[in-house]
Amino acid sequence: MSVVPYAIALLATLIAAYTDTRTGRIHNWLTVPLLVVGPVLSLLLGGPQQLILSLLGIVLCGMVPLLLFARAAMGGGDVKLLAGLGGLLGTHLGIELQFFAFCVVAFVLLAQMAWDGRLFVTLKNVLFAGGHLFLPKRYHRPLEPALLTQMRMGLSIFVATLLSVFLRTPYAPWLQ
């Protein structure tokens, strides 16, 4: 694979991390071109077969974030950024990157909740929310607001991109 998609992904996620950290938004002027550049670059570098794989990467890497967006658990900019990275870097690397991003977010949230003294309240809410899946409505307890913690994902996506790209470089001797 060419170094160009990696460089574009790193630059785009760096900008997304900056804007998300400062304003809480990942703007369309960043994500929409990324959704276009991935397939175009794939077509130019690999032909029609790579174009199809790039479009498949957009769809597959956008599915889980889109479901989370529909449940108000993720922002639209995060969805478009992750889908665009799937189109730019391919399905395999896009899904790996998402996994790393969700791991980073989970770690940061747990650390933040522990620091703020809300970890056990949130874990209790998670247990009750899990019980809501199996118990009749009359046994449901109201969830405490600590469960509804918001986290900006831009920085986590950047860290995940750094990690994923680093694992693909020739400087990663454990992969050879």
Side-chain angles (χ1 to χ4, degrees), residues 70-114:
R71 306 280 290 165
M74 179 179 271
D78 299 320
V79 174
K80 290 178 279 190
L81 181 62
L82 289 170
L85 290 170
L88 183 66
L89 301 173
T91 306
H92 177 66
L93 188 55
I95 290 173
E96 174 184 289
L97 193 145
Q98 275 186 40
F99 175 73
F100 288 155
F102 288 130
C103 287
V104 170
V105 165
F107 177 77
V108 170
L109 276 175
L110 288 172
Q112 183 180 12
M113 286 185 282

Short mmCIF file of all heavy atoms in Angstrom, two decimals, residues 70-114:
data_model
loop_
_atom_site.label_atom_id
_atom_site.label_comp_id
_atom_site.label_asym_id
_atom_site.label_seq_id
_atom_site.Cartn_x
_atom_site.Cartn_y
_atom_site.Cartn_z
N ALA A 70 -27.55 6.51 15.67
CA ALA A 70 -29.02 6.39 15.73
C ALA A 70 -29.50 6.27 17.17
O ALA A 70 -30.63 6.66 17.48
CB ALA A 70 -29.48 5.19 14.91
N ARG A 71 -28.67 5.75 18.06
CA ARG A 71 -29.02 5.62 19.48
C ARG A 71 -28.51 6.81 20.29
O ARG A 71 -28.48 6.76 21.52
CB ARG A 71 -28.44 4.33 20.05
CG ARG A 71 -28.80 3.07 19.30
CD ARG A 71 -30.14 2.56 19.63
NE ARG A 71 -30.13 2.03 20.98
CZ ARG A 71 -31.23 1.78 21.65
NH1 ARG A 71 -32.39 1.97 21.10
NH2 ARG A 71 -31.18 1.32 22.87
N ALA A 72 -28.06 7.86 19.60
CA ALA A 72 -27.52 9.08 20.22
C ALA A 72 -26.30 8.79 21.09
O ALA A 72 -26.06 9.46 22.09
CB ALA A 72 -28.59 9.81 21.02
N ALA A 73 -25.52 7.79 20.70
CA ALA A 73 -24.34 7.42 21.46
C ALA A 73 -23.05 7.88 20.78
O ALA A 73 -21.96 7.65 21.30
CB ALA A 73 -24.29 5.91 21.67
N MET A 74 -23.18 8.50 19.60
CA MET A 74 -22.00 8.96 18.86
C MET A 74 -22.43 10.12 17.99
O MET A 74 -23.56 10.17 17.52
CB MET A 74 -21.45 7.81 18.01
CG MET A 74 -20.23 8.17 17.18
SD MET A 74 -19.61 6.77 16.23
CE MET A 74 -18.49 6.08 17.42
N GLY A 75 -21.50 11.04 17.75
CA GLY A 75 -21.79 12.18 16.90
C GLY A 75 -21.67 11.86 15.43
O GLY A 75 -20.97 10.92 15.03
N GLY A 76 -22.32 12.66 14.60
CA GLY A 76 -22.29 12.45 13.16
C GLY A 76 -20.92 12.63 12.54
O GLY A 76 -20.56 11.93 11.58
N GLY A 77 -20.13 13.57 13.08
CA GLY A 77 -18.77 13.76 12.56
C GLY A 77 -17.90 12.53 12.79
O GLY A 77 -17.10 12.16 11.92
N ASP A 78 -18.06 11.90 13.94
CA ASP A 78 -17.31 10.67 14.23
C ASP A 78 -17.69 9.57 13.24
O ASP A 78 -16.83 8.83 12.76
CB ASP A 78 -17.60 10.19 15.66
CG ASP A 78 -17.18 11.18 16.71
OD1 ASP A 78 -16.11 11.80 16.56
OD2 ASP A 78 -17.92 11.34 17.70
N VAL A 79 -18.98 9.47 12.94
CA VAL A 79 -19.46 8.44 12.00
C VAL A 79 -18.84 8.65 10.63
O VAL A 79 -18.29 7.73 10.03
CB VAL A 79 -21.01 8.49 11.89
CG1 VAL A 79 -21.50 7.54 10.81
CG2 VAL A 79 -21.65 8.17 13.22
N LYS A 80 -18.90 9.89 10.13
CA LYS A 80 -18.36 10.17 8.80
C LYS A 80 -16.84 10.01 8.76
O LYS A 80 -16.29 9.53 7.77
CB LYS A 80 -18.76 11.58 8.35
CG LYS A 80 -20.25 11.69 8.05
CD LYS A 80 -20.63 13.10 7.67
CE LYS A 80 -20.78 13.90 8.94
NZ LYS A 80 -21.35 15.21 8.79
N LEU A 81 -16.18 10.39 9.84
CA LEU A 81 -14.72 10.24 9.90
C LEU A 81 -14.32 8.77 9.86
O LEU A 81 -13.45 8.36 9.09
CB LEU A 81 -14.17 10.91 11.15
CG LEU A 81 -12.65 10.85 11.33
CD1 LEU A 81 -11.94 11.58 10.19
CD2 LEU A 81 -12.25 11.47 12.67
N LEU A 82 -14.98 7.94 10.66
CA LEU A 82 -14.65 6.51 10.67
C LEU A 82 -15.00 5.84 9.34
O LEU A 82 -14.25 4.99 8.86
CB LEU A 82 -15.35 5.82 11.84
CG LEU A 82 -14.79 6.18 13.22
CD1 LEU A 82 -15.69 5.66 14.33
CD2 LEU A 82 -13.37 5.65 13.38
N ALA A 83 -16.12 6.22 8.74
CA ALA A 83 -16.47 5.67 7.43
C ALA A 83 -15.47 6.11 6.38
O ALA A 83 -15.02 5.30 5.55
CB ALA A 83 -17.89 6.10 7.04
N GLY A 84 -15.08 7.38 6.41
CA GLY A 84 -14.08 7.88 5.46
C GLY A 84 -12.74 7.19 5.61
O GLY A 84 -12.06 6.88 4.62
N LEU A 85 -12.34 6.91 6.84
CA LEU A 85 -11.09 6.18 7.07
C LEU A 85 -11.19 4.75 6.55
O LEU A 85 -10.21 4.20 6.04
CB LEU A 85 -10.73 6.20 8.55
CG LEU A 85 -10.30 7.56 9.11
CD1 LEU A 85 -10.20 7.51 10.62
CD2 LEU A 85 -9.00 8.02 8.49
N GLY A 86 -12.37 4.15 6.66
CA GLY A 86 -12.57 2.81 6.10
C GLY A 86 -12.43 2.82 4.58
O GLY A 86 -11.87 1.89 4.00
N GLY A 87 -12.91 3.87 3.94
CA GLY A 87 -12.77 3.99 2.49
C GLY A 87 -11.35 4.30 2.07
O GLY A 87 -10.89 3.87 1.02
N LEU A 88 -10.64 5.05 2.89
CA LEU A 88 -9.28 5.45 2.56
C LEU A 88 -8.27 4.33 2.83
O LEU A 88 -7.39 4.07 2.02
CB LEU A 88 -8.91 6.69 3.38
CG LEU A 88 -7.55 7.31 3.14
CD1 LEU A 88 -7.47 7.88 1.72
CD2 LEU A 88 -7.28 8.40 4.16
N LEU A 89 -8.42 3.66 3.97
CA LEU A 89 -7.43 2.67 4.40
C LEU A 89 -7.85 1.23 4.15
O LEU A 89 -7.05 0.32 4.31
CB LEU A 89 -7.13 2.86 5.89
CG LEU A 89 -6.58 4.23 6.29
CD1 LEU A 89 -6.49 4.34 7.80
CD2 LEU A 89 -5.25 4.49 5.63
N GLY A 90 -9.10 1.02 3.80
CA GLY A 90 -9.59 -0.33 3.56
C GLY A 90 -10.36 -0.87 4.75
O GLY A 90 -10.25 -0.37 5.87
N THR A 91 -11.11 -1.90 4.48
CA THR A 91 -12.00 -2.47 5.48
C THR A 91 -11.23 -3.01 6.69
O THR A 91 -11.56 -2.72 7.84
CB THR A 91 -12.84 -3.60 4.87
OG1 THR A 91 -13.51 -3.09 3.73
CG2 THR A 91 -13.86 -4.13 5.84
N HIS A 92 -10.19 -3.78 6.42
CA HIS A 92 -9.44 -4.42 7.51
C HIS A 92 -8.84 -3.38 8.44
O HIS A 92 -9.03 -3.43 9.67
CB HIS A 92 -8.36 -5.34 6.94
CG HIS A 92 -7.50 -5.98 7.97
ND1 HIS A 92 -7.98 -6.91 8.86
CD2 HIS A 92 -6.20 -5.82 8.27
CE1 HIS A 92 -7.01 -7.29 9.66
NE2 HIS A 92 -5.91 -6.63 9.32
N LEU A 93 -8.11 -2.43 7.89
CA LEU A 93 -7.46 -1.42 8.71
C LEU A 93 -8.49 -0.47 9.33
O LEU A 93 -8.33 -0.03 10.46
CB LEU A 93 -6.45 -0.64 7.88
CG LEU A 93 -5.54 0.33 8.63
CD1 LEU A 93 -4.81 -0.37 9.75
CD2 LEU A 93 -4.56 0.97 7.67
N GLY A 94 -9.59 -0.20 8.60
CA GLY A 94 -10.63 0.66 9.14
C GLY A 94 -11.31 0.07 10.36
O GLY A 94 -11.57 0.76 11.35
N ILE A 95 -11.59 -1.22 10.31
CA ILE A 95 -12.22 -1.89 11.46
C ILE A 95 -11.23 -2.01 12.61
O ILE A 95 -11.60 -1.81 13.78
CB ILE A 95 -12.79 -3.26 11.04
CG1 ILE A 95 -14.00 -3.04 10.13
CG2 ILE A 95 -13.18 -4.09 12.25
CD1 ILE A 95 -14.57 -4.28 9.51
N GLU A 96 -9.97 -2.29 12.30
CA GLU A 96 -8.94 -2.32 13.34
C GLU A 96 -8.82 -0.97 14.02
O GLU A 96 -8.76 -0.87 15.25
CB GLU A 96 -7.59 -2.70 12.72
CG GLU A 96 -6.43 -2.64 13.67
CD GLU A 96 -5.12 -2.92 12.97
OE1 GLU A 96 -4.89 -4.09 12.59
OE2 GLU A 96 -4.33 -1.98 12.80
N LEU A 97 -8.84 0.09 13.23
CA LEU A 97 -8.74 1.44 13.75
C LEU A 97 -9.94 1.76 14.65
O LEU A 97 -9.78 2.35 15.71
CB LEU A 97 -8.69 2.39 12.56
CG LEU A 97 -8.30 3.82 12.78
CD1 LEU A 97 -7.51 4.29 11.59
CD2 LEU A 97 -9.51 4.67 12.96
N GLN A 98 -11.13 1.35 14.24
CA GLN A 98 -12.32 1.56 15.07
C GLN A 98 -12.19 0.84 16.40
O GLN A 98 -12.53 1.38 17.46
CB GLN A 98 -13.57 1.04 14.36
CG GLN A 98 -14.17 2.00 13.42
CD GLN A 98 -15.49 1.47 12.88
OE1 GLN A 98 -16.27 0.86 13.62
NE2 GLN A 98 -15.72 1.70 11.61
N PHE A 99 -11.72 -0.39 16.35
CA PHE A 99 -11.54 -1.16 17.58
C PHE A 99 -10.59 -0.43 18.53
O PHE A 99 -10.88 -0.28 19.72
CB PHE A 99 -11.01 -2.56 17.25
CG PHE A 99 -10.68 -3.38 18.47
CD1 PHE A 99 -11.69 -3.91 19.26
CD2 PHE A 99 -9.36 -3.59 18.84
CE1 PHE A 99 -11.38 -4.64 20.40
CE2 PHE A 99 -9.05 -4.32 19.96
CZ PHE A 99 -10.07 -4.85 20.74
N PHE A 100 -9.46 0.02 18.00
CA PHE A 100 -8.50 0.76 18.83
C PHE A 100 -9.13 2.04 19.38
O PHE A 100 -8.93 2.38 20.54
CB PHE A 100 -7.24 1.10 18.03
CG PHE A 100 -6.34 -0.06 17.74
CD1 PHE A 100 -5.49 -0.04 16.65
CD2 PHE A 100 -6.33 -1.19 18.53
CE1 PHE A 100 -4.64 -1.10 16.36
CE2 PHE A 100 -5.48 -2.26 18.27
CZ PHE A 100 -4.64 -2.21 17.18
N ALA A 101 -9.90 2.75 18.54
CA ALA A 101 -10.53 4.01 18.99
C ALA A 101 -11.51 3.74 20.12
O ALA A 101 -11.54 4.49 21.12
CB ALA A 101 -11.22 4.70 17.82
N PHE A 102 -12.32 2.70 20.00
CA PHE A 102 -13.28 2.38 21.05
C PHE A 102 -12.56 1.94 22.33
O PHE A 102 -13.01 2.24 23.43
CB PHE A 102 -14.29 1.33 20.59
CG PHE A 102 -15.29 1.85 19.61
CD1 PHE A 102 -15.54 1.16 18.43
CD2 PHE A 102 -16.00 3.01 19.84
CE1 PHE A 102 -16.46 1.64 17.51
CE2 PHE A 102 -16.92 3.49 18.94
CZ PHE A 102 -17.15 2.80 17.76
N CYS A 103 -11.44 1.24 22.19
CA CYS A 103 -10.65 0.84 23.37
C CYS A 103 -10.08 2.07 24.07
O CYS A 103 -10.11 2.16 25.31
CB CYS A 103 -9.52 -0.11 22.97
SG CYS A 103 -10.08 -1.76 22.55
N VAL A 104 -9.55 3.01 23.29
CA VAL A 104 -9.00 4.24 23.88
C VAL A 104 -10.10 5.01 24.60
O VAL A 104 -9.92 5.47 25.73
CB VAL A 104 -8.32 5.11 22.80
CG1 VAL A 104 -7.96 6.49 23.34
CG2 VAL A 104 -7.08 4.42 22.26
N VAL A 105 -11.26 5.15 23.95
CA VAL A 105 -12.38 5.86 24.58
C VAL A 105 -12.81 5.17 25.87
O VAL A 105 -13.04 5.82 26.89
CB VAL A 105 -13.58 5.98 23.61
CG1 VAL A 105 -14.84 6.37 24.33
CG2 VAL A 105 -13.27 7.00 22.54
N ALA A 106 -12.92 3.85 25.84
CA ALA A 106 -13.33 3.11 27.04
C ALA A 106 -12.32 3.31 28.17
O ALA A 106 -12.71 3.54 29.32
CB ALA A 106 -13.48 1.63 26.71
N PHE A 107 -11.05 3.23 27.85
CA PHE A 107 -10.02 3.41 28.87
C PHE A 107 -10.09 4.81 29.47
O PHE A 107 -10.06 4.99 30.70
CB PHE A 107 -8.63 3.15 28.29
CG PHE A 107 -7.52 3.40 29.27
CD1 PHE A 107 -7.24 2.48 30.26
CD2 PHE A 107 -6.78 4.57 29.21
CE1 PHE A 107 -6.23 2.72 31.18
CE2 PHE A 107 -5.77 4.81 30.12
CZ PHE A 107 -5.50 3.88 31.11
N VAL A 108 -10.19 5.82 28.60
CA VAL A 108 -10.23 7.20 29.07
C VAL A 108 -11.49 7.45 29.91
O VAL A 108 -11.43 8.10 30.96
CB VAL A 108 -10.14 8.19 27.89
CG1 VAL A 108 -10.42 9.61 28.32
CG2 VAL A 108 -8.77 8.10 27.23
N LEU A 109 -12.62 6.93 29.47
CA LEU A 109 -13.86 7.11 30.24
C LEU A 109 -13.78 6.45 31.61
O LEU A 109 -14.19 7.04 32.61
CB LEU A 109 -15.05 6.55 29.47
CG LEU A 109 -15.67 7.46 28.43
CD1 LEU A 109 -16.76 6.74 27.66
CD2 LEU A 109 -16.22 8.71 29.07
N LEU A 110 -13.26 5.23 31.66
CA LEU A 110 -13.12 4.55 32.95
C LEU A 110 -12.19 5.32 33.88
O LEU A 110 -12.48 5.50 35.07
CB LEU A 110 -12.63 3.12 32.77
CG LEU A 110 -13.64 2.14 32.19
CD1 LEU A 110 -12.98 0.81 31.88
CD2 LEU A 110 -14.80 1.95 33.16
N ALA A 111 -11.08 5.80 33.33
CA ALA A 111 -10.14 6.58 34.14
C ALA A 111 -10.77 7.88 34.61
O ALA A 111 -10.62 8.27 35.77
CB ALA A 111 -8.87 6.86 33.33
N GLN A 112 -11.51 8.54 33.71
CA GLN A 112 -12.16 9.81 34.07
C GLN A 112 -13.23 9.58 35.14
O GLN A 112 -13.33 10.36 36.10
CB GLN A 112 -12.78 10.43 32.83
CG GLN A 112 -13.43 11.77 33.05
CD GLN A 112 -14.04 12.32 31.76
OE1 GLN A 112 -14.16 11.63 30.76
NE2 GLN A 112 -14.41 13.56 31.80
N MET A 113 -14.01 8.52 35.00
CA MET A 113 -15.05 8.24 35.99
C MET A 113 -14.44 7.87 37.34
O MET A 113 -14.95 8.26 38.39
CB MET A 113 -15.98 7.14 35.49
CG MET A 113 -16.93 7.61 34.41
SD MET A 113 -18.11 6.36 33.91
CE MET A 113 -17.13 5.32 32.86
N ALA A 114 -13.35 7.11 37.32
CA ALA A 114 -12.67 6.77 38.57
C ALA A 114 -12.11 8.02 39.23
O ALA A 114 -12.23 8.20 40.45
CB ALA A 114 -11.56 5.76 38.31
#
